[in-house]
Amino acid sequence: MLDKKIIDLINHQVNKELYSAYLYLSMANYYAEKNLNGFAHWFNLQAKEEYEHAEKFMDYLHDNGSEVVLDNIPAPKNEYDDPVEPLRVTVKHEEYVTSLINEIVKVAHELVDYRTINFLSWFINEQAEEEKTANDLLARYEIFVNDKRNLYLFDQELNTRK
Ligand code: FEO
């Protein structure tokens, strides 16, 4: 049986992962409306990944006899100043998500809840990857996208994400 503190934190994390999906969907829509279909494709896939993260947390609760309690998902930002802004927001958002995961790990340690610590190790690795990917995207945008042709090429590359 999981401690109530862990159940609450994981339910909170389900909400944050669903919000992440919503946020990335808003970015996908922004890029689609700017005809940057590669960026839109990339963020659509990212939104799906976030939904899968929420599913993993919900499965963990169910597998341990606990209830999922869904909460309101706040509206994401829908307007961006330019095509680089969503990439900056993504970096900050992934750092924030990492801090949330770390907090659950911290509480799991306090409760000597090895099962949850073990479960969260996948997310610790995943966050390292998500932060790296977000930073790489932003860095490459800032280094290479100095003209429309480079933006076009970058967009084409992002369209190949599987
Ligand atoms: Fe589920 Fe991108 O963190």
Side-chain angles (χ1 to χ4, degrees):
M1 198 60 188
L2 299 172
D3 189 280
K4 169 117 178 36
K5 269 191 206 160
I6 291 291
I7 296 171
D8 289 349
L9 282 169
I10 291 182
N11 268 311
H12 181 253
Q13 193 63 30
V14 168
N15 184 269
K16 294 296 177 183
E17 299 292 346
L18 292 174
Y19 173 77
S20 302
Y22 220 29
L23 178 67
Y24 294 143
L25 208 50
S26 88
M27 294 177 183
N29 289 333
Y30 165 81
Y31 286 121
E33 287 155 16
K34 295 272 178 282
N35 294 320
L36 287 165
N37 295 326
F39 283 84
H41 169 73
W42 196 95
F43 276 99
N44 262 316
L45 288 186
Q46 196 59 32
K48 290 194 174 98
E49 263 197 18
E50 298 301 350
Y51 184 78
E52 284 168 14
H53 294 169
E55 282 184 317
K56 273 186 198 289
F57 280 113
M58 290 189 282
D59 286 348
Y60 184 69
L61 289 175
H62 285 156
D63 289 347
N64 288 283
S66 303
E67 277 184 16
V68 172
V69 181
L70 296 178
D71 202 350
N72 294 331
I73 304 169
K77 184 173 165 64
N78 279 301
E79 281 301 318
Y80 297 94
D81 293 339
D82 52 38
V84 74
E85 197 194 354
L87 306 180
R88 294 202 178 107
V89 171
T90 298
V91 168
K92 289 271 162 262
H93 184 67
E94 288 303 331
E95 287 170 358
Y96 169 62
V97 173
T98 297
S99 76
L100 296 174
I101 301 281
N102 286 346
E103 180 60 26
I104 312 175
V105 174
K106 192 178 116 202
V107 173
H109 272 283
E110 284 163 9
L111 295 167
V112 200
D113 178 353
Y114 293 118
R115 187 183 306 178
T116 299
I117 293 167
N118 187 46
F119 165 71
L120 290 171
S121 64
W122 185 89
F123 282 96
I124 293 169
N125 293 334
E126 177 69 7
Q127 279 314 118
E129 206 178 298
E130 299 256 285
E131 280 188 42
K132 180 183 181 324
T133 306
N135 275 306
D136 283 354
L137 263 187
L138 176 60
R140 292 179 63 217
Y141 189 101
E142 286 177 334
I143 293 166
F144 299 120
V145 180
N146 47 11
D147 63 27
K148 290 254 166 24
R149 185 169 177 277
N150 282 347
L151 181 58
Y152 174 77
L153 292 174
F154 198 20
D155 189 58
Q156 294 238 304
E157 185 197 315
L158 293 182
N159 216 1
T160 63
R161 179 177 177 184
K162 299 273 187 279

